[in-house]
Every structure is written in C-alpha cells, then in structure tokens.
Amino acid sequence: MKRLAAFAILLAAMGPGCGYHVGGHADMMPNTIHTIAIPPFSNATIRYKLARLLPEDITREFLSRTHYVIVTDPSQADAVLDGSLANYSAFPTVSDPVSGRATMDQVEVTLNLKLTDRRTGKVLFLRKGAEFWQRYEVALDPNQYFDESGTAMDRISRSVASSVVSAILEGF
C-alpha cells in the first residue's frame, strides 16, 4: 500500500513537467502589438461577397477571442493584416444517380495573408496559398431549389476566420 501511494505521488509530481500543454492559449504576437488593422481584402475572383465577409469575420473573431483592439485605419494600428482572395472554385462532389443532378457541391477558397508590424516592417505572419473548403447540399427537386451558395459563403468565411486567428495567435 505504501509503495502504491509513493508511486501515485511520484506520478503526480512528474505530471506537470511532461511537456503537454492545453492548445488555444498561446499568443505568439509581440508585446508591442495592441491594435490591428484589417483593411478590405483584394479580390481576384468573381465572388465579391466572400471578399467582403472575410475581413468582417476575422475582425469579429479577433474581438471575441483576444484583447487586441481592431481599427479600420492602418496608420493607427500597431500591425496590419493584409489579405487577398486569390481563388474561388465550386464543383459538384455528389450526384443523384437517377437525374444526374448535383446533390452536394464543394467550395474551395485560396487566400494570401500577411500580418506586418507597422513600426518595424517585420512580417509576423505569412500564408500564401492558404486553402479552405466547405461543402453544401443542393436540392434535387427543381421546385424546391434553394441556392445554398450564399450560406456556404457565410460558413466558410466564419471557418476561415477562426482558422486564421488561431494560426496567427499560435504562430503556425
């Protein structure tokens, strides 16, 4: 019994030093960064809605998860997040065998992102060609057809925003 108790105490003492940590709590940004500007993204695609949604959703994600103040004027910020929507494609992934119509579409988005320390010019975060995707269903009945691409844009924008903020904060 004494050996078991000693073993339990030894394990408890070794636990905190095992190298594991809880994800999502890292903030790899320099201490000098307090404000971030997120100007409108440039857009090389025909999907204007997504290029408009991304900065808004990234802003919302920063505000909900961090202590950073988000400003609209880059000259008033400590760091600037520049982004561009480089590519957008949508294609069917599942088809109805009877009608041949698509029942599931997949949207793929490619972004270029760069976060720069405005004071030093140092690039704090850089992702070229970051790819994201979202699937959505397409109604089979033409009388009940509802274009889901708009809601798919909303979902992919929120998903991208979460991934981008996590990547910036955790230095990945």
Side-chain angles (χ1 to χ4, degrees):
M1 191 66 156
K2 287 182 182 181
R3 284 186 179 175
L4 184 59
F7 183 69
I9 291 171
L10 179 62
L11 281 177
M14 291 175 54
C18 64
Y20 291 102
H21 67 281
V22 177
H25 295 287
D27 188 349
M28 304 304 285
M29 298 277 279
N31 293 337
T32 57
I33 305 297
H34 303 287
T35 57
I36 300 172
I38 305 174
F41 282 14
S42 64
N43 186 4
T45 75
I46 60 170
R47 293 306 231 178
Y48 68 91
K49 182 178 180 180
L50 187 58
R52 180 182 51 81
L53 286 173
L54 285 167
E56 292 173 9
D57 286 337
I58 292 171
T59 295
R60 192 174 299 112
E61 192 73 19
F62 264 115
L63 291 173
S64 70
R65 292 178 49 190
T66 71
H67 63 278
Y68 299 109
V69 175
I70 306 300
V71 297
T72 55
D73 183 4
S75 68
Q76 301 298 313
D78 298 321
V80 178
L81 178 64
D82 290 305
S84 66
L85 181 54
N87 190 28
Y88 169 90
S89 61
F91 51 89
T93 56
V94 178
S95 298
D96 177 43
V98 176
S99 68
R101 294 189 56 180
T103 59
M104 179 86 60
D105 280 355
Q106 180 164 313
V107 172
E108 291 184 359
V109 173
T110 306
L111 296 177
N112 296 318
L113 300 161
K114 180 169 74 169
L115 181 68
T116 308
D117 184 328
R118 204 175 64 77
R119 185 177 51 79
T120 65
K122 179 181 176 187
V123 175
L124 304 172
F125 176 82
L126 180 65
R127 283 291 185 286
K128 291 184 180 181
E131 294 182 353
F132 304 90
W133 59 91
Q134 179 75 41
R135 289 188 178 175
Y136 63 93
E137 291 185 33
V138 178
L140 271 177
D141 183 359
N143 296 324
Q144 295 183 358
Y145 178 76
F146 179 73
D147 184 10
E148 287 286 327
S149 64
T151 55
M153 292 300 103
D154 293 339
R155 286 191 307 266
I156 197 166
S157 181
R158 287 190 305 269
S159 174
V160 167
S162 178
S163 296
V164 166
V165 171
S166 292
I168 288 171
L169 295 177
E170 296 173 7
F172 293 112

